[in-house]
Amino acid sequence: MASRSRTYRNMISAVLFMSIILMCGSVSADDDREVTIRFSLEEGTVLKYKGSTTTEMNWKGIAFSTVHGDEVEMSWMEQLEDGKQRVEIKYISCSDRRAMGGAAAMDFDAPVKPEGRAVKVVVGADGRPTEVAGFILGIKGSEALKGYVNNWFFDLPEGPVKKGSTWTVNVPREDEEKDEEKEFVSDVKGTIDLELKKFDKKNDIEVAVIKFKGKLNIHNESEQGVMDGEAKSDGEVMVALDGGYIVEYKNSSEMKGKLVSLDELSGKESSSDVVQVRNTEKKLQK
């Protein structure tokens, strides 16, 4: 009887051991797999997101902070040629709060007002918007509008990738069109380095976890003057393996520069140091 019990225990131990081996083997296989991630929503898909951007800036010794929040829906509209799709980005609700000099944050009337607006976007299989149609108050020109809605997409790697794969994106891209409709000159140049860290699951969605670091040189001309600076960013994005859409996104950036402005009364130029820290988060809700 004791011998039979030992036999059963040995069989159970062997089964458990083999189960562990198989489980470990499957995880290893997943980690070693090579995938091609393409933006491709299924017909009828509606993705709901919440996002927020906190910006802290110090200029002439005065601290400013703003918080912008969004709730948006991304809806599949139609399949087009060359793997492109038309989707709609609808801004369900938005909020803006601002604080200055240590005072409590208060709602404020932001110059860009997307709430209630819908923009139709043609998106390539690489996750990049190529065409936009619509109107958002405070945004002038189609290229500026494309840049604004681009926040809800992520540039996907061009070819197959696996755990440990790295690639670099140049800013601007060689095929990126210049915005001839801009009122002021704005020039951003640099590189973004990316690495696929691992495969994982988020809210039962299989994702690729991609880390990225950017270094950009900025030249911007506005009503306030001419600013030259350098920005560094560090972030992580989870992209759905099946569909290529953002599941979760986090990015932190710091920009340091000098703003040269002209006093119209005296005709004298003045130079001020500007420091800006920005943190952005986006999460899929459904």
Side-chain angles (χ1 to χ4, degrees), residues 139-272:
I139 297 180
K140 297 180 180 180
S142 59
E143 286 302 310
L145 184 59
K146 189 193 299 183
Y148 190 80
V149 301
N150 188 57
N151 292 326
W152 302 101
F153 303 93
F154 190 79
D155 287 14
L156 302 172
E158 293 180 1
V161 287
K162 59 184 180 180
K163 179 182 176 181
S165 291
T166 61
W167 63 100
T168 298
V169 174
N170 293 315
V171 180
R173 289 179 177 267
E174 291 182 2
D175 59 349
E176 193 169 317
E177 296 180 12
K178 290 186 177 181
D179 189 356
E180 303 295 343
E181 301 171 275
K182 281 184 179 179
E183 187 175 355
F184 297 101
V185 174
S186 181
D187 191 21
V188 180
K189 294 180 180 179
T191 56
I192 301 173
D193 297 317
L194 304 97
E195 180 180 1
L196 199 163
K197 300 298 289 186
K198 62 179 180 178
F199 297 108
D200 205 344
K201 270 196 172 184
K202 184 69 176 181
N203 300 331
D204 292 326
I205 301 171
E206 283 196 291
V207 297
V209 180
I210 300 171
K211 295 269 191 180
F212 57 91
K213 289 180 179 290
K215 187 174 182 180
L216 304 171
N217 293 311
I218 299 170
H219 174 81
N220 188 61
E221 299 178 14
S222 67
E223 293 178 346
Q224 287 73 38
V226 178
M227 193 195 70
D228 289 286
E230 182 180 90
K232 295 180 180 180
S233 65
D234 191 349
E236 177 184 285
V237 62
M238 296 183 183
V239 178
L241 295 184
D242 184 12
Y245 54 88
I246 293 174
V247 176
E248 189 167 302
Y249 175 96
K250 295 180 181 179
N251 184 32
S252 178
S253 65
E254 181 180 57
M255 189 278 297
K256 294 181 178 180
K258 282 189 177 293
L259 177 66
V260 178
S261 54
L262 177 67
D263 188 319
E264 293 183 359
L265 295 177
S266 66
K268 294 182 179 180
E269 287 187 346
S270 62
S271 177
S272 305

